[in-house]
Amino acid sequence: WYSLSARTYGSSDTLSFLADRFDNGYQFRVIVTFADGEKITSDAATLTVVDPYISKDPQDKTAAPGATAEFTVEVAGGVSFVRWQVSKNDGKTWSYLSTWTYGMSETLSYKAVESADGYLFRAVVACWDGTRLTSDAARLYVKTVITTQPQNISVAEGGKAVFKVAASGAGL
């Protein structure tokens, strides 16, 4: 394999590498040399390195106090750095919650407390070209939730019917 910039990349039927912005626009071809010295050359194929973009924004979550809520962002078009932010005043101001992490899908795990009800969470993505993308915000709802629903039962006439339910949250 050769790029048309005369850089040699390998000698197999497959060329695989992690592309970066400096590879954008390069054309690649293969030259096959037979034992008798005859050569054939493939057509050139062009590599386009696309700008990263947010392919999946975090979604609103409901969690009981003390439970963990998870927010996930997915980035396409290249591996990027992700950092999470929180707003405690409905998006007027934002502060960072995490350090930068490297990947295409990042999840924030946040322990829900009653005072966090209504907080907004979003991801900031640092792209290879120096730009930053910001995901849509997702809201955390912290409330008492039923964790075990009552189940259907059958009893004989005169028998004791017992239904149970379990909930998680404050004030129970």
Side-chain angles (χ1 to χ4, degrees):
W1 285 96
Y2 298 90
S3 75
L4 296 186
S5 65
R7 220 162 95 189
T8 301
Y9 283 90
S11 59
S12 73
D13 63 349
T14 303
L15 172 62
S16 176
F17 61 95
L18 296 176
D20 64 33
R21 64 185 165 145
F22 301 109
D23 297 315
N24 189 48
Y26 275 20
Q27 292 186 313
F28 297 86
R29 66 178 176 199
V30 67
I31 300 171
V32 179
T33 304
F34 296 97
D36 65 3
E38 182 183 348
K39 294 181 181 184
I40 58 172
T41 303
S42 72
D43 293 339
T46 303
L47 172 64
T48 301
V49 180
V50 298
D51 292 334
Y53 62 95
I54 294 172
S55 58
K56 183 178 178 188
D57 287 298
Q59 302 297 305
D60 293 349
K61 299 290 179 181
T62 299
T68 299
E70 291 189 341
F71 299 94
T72 300
V73 66
E74 292 181 9
V75 181
V79 178
S80 302
F81 290 92
V82 178
R83 195 168 178 195
W84 288 93
Q85 292 182 321
V86 62
S87 174
K88 299 176 181 181
N89 55 13
D90 208 31
K92 292 180 183 75
T93 60
W94 294 88
S95 57
Y96 282 106
L97 281 174
S98 63
T99 58
W100 291 103
T101 56
Y102 184 68
M104 294 189 324
S105 177
E106 290 300 324
T107 299
L108 170 69
S109 295
Y110 190 84
K111 187 171 182 176
V113 294
E114 285 185 59
S115 60
D117 183 51
Y119 283 9
L120 294 172
F121 297 86
R122 69 182 184 186
V124 176
V125 179
C127 304
W128 53 261
D129 64 357
T131 61
R132 293 203 179 179
L133 307 172
T134 303
S135 73
D136 290 344
R139 189 172 300 276
L140 173 62
Y141 298 97
V142 182
K143 58 176 87 176
T144 300
V145 294
I146 295 176
T147 57
T148 304
Q149 297 289 341
Q151 300 298 307
N152 297 332
I153 60 169
S154 297
V155 297
E157 184 176 346
K160 186 175 183 179
V162 177
F163 294 92
K164 290 188 176 190
V165 68
S168 176
L172 297 177

